[in-house]
Amino acid sequence: MAVDHYENFPVASVLLPRRLRRPVTDIYRFARAADDIADEGNASDAERLAALAAFRAELHRIGAEPGGECRPADVLAPIFAPLAQTIAQYQLPITPFLDLLSAFEQDVSVKRYDDYASLLDYCSRSANPVGRLMLHLYDAATPDNLAQSDAICTGLQLANFWQDVRVDWRKQRIYLPREDLLHHHVTEDDIATCRLTPQWRDLMAFQVERTRALLHSGAPLARRLPGRIGLELRLIVQGGLRILERIERCGYDVFMNRPELGWKDWAVMLWRIR
């Protein structure tokens, strides 16, 4: 298993309470479909943005008629009809869904990030809304919980970026901030040619440690939330931390050794959450 943001949805998890399996599935279906529009297939940028604009229009329709009947276009009905019911039933805010769409639209047009602040802003829309929606489903969306959830979700997103440097390069994307590349004397040509230099290792060590600090700062939330959601979240946090360890163990060579979690890693993670 790799750490991928939407794979961290506990859609089929035995730890997810039965009553929440449908709403979580409805949210996941929306996020996965929109993400695929931005990333998959051979559509032009204009076609991708037009398809995401149709998603945005349906969200505005739901927001304008809370609790009312949603009549999405036929092709979108399997996504938005159940989503509208879930939003109404659980009184979910529309903003996280719109934030996700904003991030997917950004994926189409933005391929580089000048600084860490810009990358965090992207993560605040591409990753954090998922955790926020989960907290709303569990009726636990307090300010402290939301802040720590944001730290976990951003940390998971960053861990995914660091394990997928080569994958993202093939999509013409670099999530490593330009300011960090310059500071550590790493060039885009180093990434293109998979050049494993001391400077590259220093850069990745810096990113791994910064990401680990984020995950640790949000980890108390997993201990504070009761029951299954707390256990699920502890496993998710440990998954992110374990990926960072795997990056370190391979000498930061994510070009040829994309870290993924196997059964031995799961055994370690289960031991750590006791």
Side-chain angles (χ1 to χ4, degrees):
M1 184 189 105
V3 171
D4 177 84
H5 185 61
Y6 297 106
E7 288 176 9
N8 284 322
F9 256 97
V11 176
S13 172
V14 295
L15 298 177
L16 188 68
R18 185 179 298 276
R19 65 183 177 85
L20 293 183
R21 289 177 188 172
R22 182 187 60 78
V24 170
T25 298
D26 294 340
I27 296 169
Y28 173 83
R29 186 187 299 112
F30 162 83
R32 183 78 271 171
D35 192 28
D36 286 347
I37 289 172
D39 269 349
E40 303 300 326
N42 299 313
S44 68
D45 287 354
E47 290 169 333
R48 294 181 194 276
L49 291 173
L52 291 171
F55 272 47
R56 183 177 295 277
E58 295 303 332
L59 286 180
H60 283 303
R61 185 200 304 266
I62 293 172
E65 302 177 13
E69 183 179 357
C70 178
R71 297 183 179 84
D74 289 344
V75 69
L76 298 181
I79 296 171
F80 284 96
L83 183 64
Q85 294 176 7
T86 285
I87 289 173
Q89 180 179 349
Y90 292 91
Q91 295 295 289
L92 298 179
I94 290 291
T95 299
F97 296 97
L98 293 170
D99 285 345
L100 285 170
L101 281 184
S102 172
F104 299 143
E105 290 165 344
Q106 187 165 316
D107 281 336
V108 176
S109 57
V110 177
K111 310 298 183 181
R112 302 291 188 275
Y113 290 84
D114 287 333
D115 49 42
Y116 187 57
S118 299
L119 187 60
L120 290 183
D121 174 71
Y122 169 76
C123 291
S124 74
R125 289 172 287 115
S126 69
N128 299 0
V130 173
R132 287 176 168 251
L133 287 168
M134 292 300 296
L135 287 176
H136 279 285
L137 284 177
Y138 276 91
D139 197 24
T142 67
D144 286 346
N145 288 353
L146 289 168
Q148 290 183 334
S149 172
D150 288 349
I152 292 172
C153 290
T154 290
L156 292 171
Q157 179 79 88
L158 293 177
N160 183 223
F161 290 156
W162 312 150
Q163 74 177 152
D164 271 348
V165 169
R166 187 65 177 161
V167 173
D168 290 330
W169 173 260
R170 296 191 187 106
K171 299 176 183 178
Q172 302 181 359
R173 291 181 187 151
I174 297 178
Y175 289 102
L176 289 158
R178 282 195 177 107
E179 66 177 6
D180 295 340
L181 293 173
L182 289 170
H183 179 77
H184 291 273
H185 306 289
V186 173
T187 67
E188 290 195 11
D189 188 56
D190 292 329
I191 299 173
T193 57
C194 304
R195 197 172 295 146
L196 197 62
T197 63
Q199 292 82 5
W200 171 260
R201 288 191 172 97
D202 287 344
L203 169 64
M204 291 302 293
F206 173 71
Q207 302 298 349
V208 164
E209 193 54 40
R210 183 156 62 176
T211 303
R212 179 181 286 120
L214 262 177
L215 289 170
H216 280 306
S217 72
L221 173 63
R223 292 287 179 185
R224 191 162 60 248
L225 293 177
R228 293 180 174 184
I229 184 177
L231 182 58
E232 180 93 39
L233 191 53
R234 292 200 295 276
L235 275 172
I236 288 173
V237 170
Q238 286 301 321
L241 292 171
R242 190 66 173 167
I243 284 292
L244 297 178
E245 290 178 21
R246 294 288 298 274
I247 292 174
E248 290 174 324
R249 288 188 180 186
C250 72
Y252 305 103
D253 183 8
V254 292
F255 301 120
M256 302 301 173
N257 299 280
R258 183 179 186 267
E260 295 187 0
L261 302 182
W263 68 268
K264 291 182 179 179
D265 298 293
W266 279 100
V268 171
M269 290 156 52
L270 289 168
W271 181 81
R272 287 178 175 176
I273 68 170
R274 293 181 306 163

